Amino acid sequence: MATNAKNLAELLNTDTTIAVADVADGSITSAKLASGAVTTAKIADDAVSSAKLFSTNLGRRNIIVNGAMEISQRGTSATGQGASSNFLVDRFRANHNGNSAGRYTVSRVSDVHDGFSRALKFECTTADTSIAAAERFFIEQPIEGQFLQQFRKGSSDAKDFVVSFYAKANGNFTYVVGFYDADNNRTVSRTFAVTSSWQRFEINFGADTSGAFDSDAGLSLQLRWYLHAGSNYTSASLQTSWNAVNNAATAGGMTSSFFSSTSNTFFLTGVQLEVGDKGDGTSTATPFEYRNLTDELPACERYYQKSYNYGNYAGANSSAGGVMERNTNVSDISNRMDAGTRFVTRMRGTPTVTIYSLTGTVNSVSDLSTQTGHQSNQTVTSVQHRGTSGFGGLVISGGNDEGLGYQYTAEAEI
């Protein structure tokens, strides 16, 4: 008998319990456990981690929208970027601060790996090796506070922020990923080292018992990937625990710059943010939660949507999906139009609406006259009665016909 097995004579005499040390490794199998022997009360709090509970049907863990980069309503590529902040792939914004001369092309590309078919790609086209102190370039996803309450931030039982993502570059680079808490002006960051091969990064940023998120539709949190920064953001040691903002520590420890060479590329996909099952920094990431188009597209349309067909972009010469309005009394359409346009998804807030003629001219409608063809464009001077579910009218500079047509985009980004 193994030396750590309990002697039968001892059990028959005075001993009434078996210590952990008395049980040989592997000696208790599931077959030796009576049905119902392990009850809920016998399982210690936090003894079963989320990783051990994972199943492909355990959905809605991922707070990030469009983490697989499948939705790109604004287009699939944009060149000459870097002078101002912009979205290409839905919900992922390239944010610029300072006056970097660096420029890049951003695109959504096909790159099949680890169950993913799409990625967000940045290609440096103009280098900037003379980095001014105030320069900063990061990719971000802004998140509403009402979608973050489960982190219990600001309370004594706050939960871990667990982030996972896939990234690669054209070589070895050290960049920074982190959070900015817009409600309480707090941050936390970590470095990550990319190579020319895809890697999955899994980072636990810990819990934050200070500063609760507002529970509303406003900006509360940004998840950021820093690719370029000046000394205003890199001159102090990286802030790896939640604390008040120290700008100099925001990207401290980042030894690389995306703008160092026109050979540089950066790819990102498979982004996930989830609530840890613990609050002590030991929660682990679960596998990426895949969502199909019918779930992901409406989530994106809460922030940006369009009347165009899915594969057509703003400014296209297309009537498909467009809005057509007709009136048998031509005088009623002079210089105004009662549009009555409903959005396909209710938006986060009152959006900015941009009107395009059916031939793609911005701030215009197509004057259809009595024909179905696209006639001369009429200028739109304002969009009336905008709300989260649609808009009610247009003011146009001229035109006195019985038919008008147009496309629209609506944006309510944070």
Side-chain angles (χ1 to χ4, degrees):
M1 181 177 290
T3 56
N4 60 347
K6 200 71 173 174
N7 185 285
L8 179 60
E10 291 177 318
L11 291 176
L12 293 174
N13 293 319
T14 59
D15 285 356
T16 58
T17 60
I18 299 176
V20 172
D22 295 324
V23 182
D25 291 344
S27 63
I28 299 179
T29 64
S30 57
K32 294 180 180 179
L33 290 174
S35 178
V38 181
T39 63
T40 301
K42 293 177 181 178
I43 300 175
D45 292 344
D46 296 331
V48 182
S49 67
S50 57
K52 291 185 172 65
L53 288 173
F54 173 72
S55 117
T56 54
N57 296 319
L58 188 62
R60 308 312 300 183
R61 303 180 318 282
N62 193 1
I63 292 165
I64 295 297
V65 175
N66 197 30
M69 312 297 174
E70 291 288 350
I71 312 298
S72 192
Q73 296 187 84
R74 294 170 174 87
T76 56
S77 182
T79 61
Q81 302 298 294
S84 60
S85 299
N86 59 80
F87 286 90
L88 180 77
V89 169
D90 281 57
R91 302 301 302 127
F92 286 87
R93 176 164 46 208
N95 193 311
H96 303 275
N97 180 25
N99 299 305
S100 174
R103 295 292 182 266
Y104 58 87
T105 293
V106 58
S107 54
R108 188 197 67 173
V109 296
S110 296
D111 196 316
V112 178
H113 68 95
D114 299 295
F116 298 96
S117 61
R118 305 285 189 185
L120 179 59
K121 179 184 180 182
F122 293 83
E123 302 172 79
C124 179
T125 56
T126 301
D128 180 8
T129 56
S130 178
I131 306 174
E135 291 181 16
R136 183 176 65 176
F137 166 35
F138 58 82
I139 308 163
E140 62 158 318
Q141 176 150 148
I143 307 171
E144 299 173 46
Q146 60 191 356
F147 298 151
L148 299 165
Q149 298 304 304
Q150 59 269 48
F151 285 99
R152 308 181 191 181
K153 191 175 180 295
S155 65
S156 59
D157 60 347
K159 296 295 185 181
D160 293 339
F161 288 75
V162 182
V163 173
S164 54
F165 59 93
Y166 292 79
K168 71 174 181 177
N170 57 297
N172 298 332
F173 298 85
T174 298
Y175 294 127
V176 166
V177 59
F179 289 106
Y180 171 62
D181 170 4
D183 288 331
N184 305 286
N185 200 36
R186 294 172 66 79
T187 59
V188 61
S189 301
R190 303 287 174 81
T191 57
F192 66 101
V194 291
T195 68
S196 57
S197 299
W198 283 108
Q199 298 177 73
R200 190 188 195 212
F201 297 91
E202 302 175 16
I203 304 173
N204 187 325
F205 288 90
D208 189 10
T209 57
S210 297
F213 290 130
D214 297 338
S215 185
D216 57 24
L219 172 64
S220 285
L221 189 68
Q222 292 172 330
L223 175 56
R224 298 173 170 180
W225 291 262
Y226 291 87
L227 303 185
H228 172 86
S231 59
N232 285 0
Y233 307 100
T234 61
S235 57
S237 297
L238 189 67
Q239 190 168 291
T240 58
S241 298
W242 287 96
N243 213 325
V245 168
N246 174 5
N247 281 335
T250 302
M254 187 170 76
T255 58
S256 303
S257 167
F258 171 76
F259 289 133
S260 64
S261 168
T262 54
S263 299
N264 290 349
T265 60
F266 179 76
F267 295 77
L268 179 68
T269 195
V271 179
Q272 182 154 290
L273 166 62
E274 55 192 311
V275 180
D277 56 348
K278 299 179 176 66
D280 59 1
T282 63
S283 305
T284 57
T286 63
F288 182 79
E289 177 193 345
Y290 292 90
R291 294 200 282 257
N292 61 37
L293 187 72
T294 57
D295 291 327
E296 205 74 283
L297 181 57
C300 293
E301 288 174 334
R302 174 173 170 79
Y303 305 93
Y304 177 89
Q305 60 181 272
K306 59 185 181 177
S307 56
Y308 294 93
N309 277 356
Y310 180 71
N312 291 334
Y313 307 110
N317 183 349
S318 175
S319 62
V323 181
M324 311 293 175
E325 297 287 346
R326 287 198 171 275
N327 194 315
T328 56
N329 185 346
V330 295
S331 63
D332 287 348
I333 298 183
S334 180
N335 298 325
R336 63 181 291 272
M337 179 179 181
D338 295 325
T341 301
R342 301 295 90 187
F343 297 141
V344 294
T345 300
R346 185 175 290 274
M347 304 198 73
R348 181 191 66 85
T350 300
T352 298
V353 176
T354 303
I355 304 297
Y356 298 84
S357 73
L358 301 180
T359 54
T361 303
V362 68
N363 298 326
S364 297
V365 294
S366 291
D367 184 345
L368 301 180
S369 186
T370 59
Q371 308 298 319
T372 57
H374 307 158
Q375 308 298 316
S376 60
N377 296 328
Q378 301 291 345
T379 300
V380 175
T381 58
S382 66
V383 180
Q384 302 292 301
H385 315 302
R386 290 173 297 117
T388 59
S389 61
F391 56 95
L394 304 174
V395 176
I396 57 179
S397 61
N400 189 19
D401 268 305
E402 62 184 38
L404 295 175
Y406 61 93
Q407 304 273 13
Y408 71 84
T409 63
E411 181 169 321
E413 297 284 1
I414 302 175

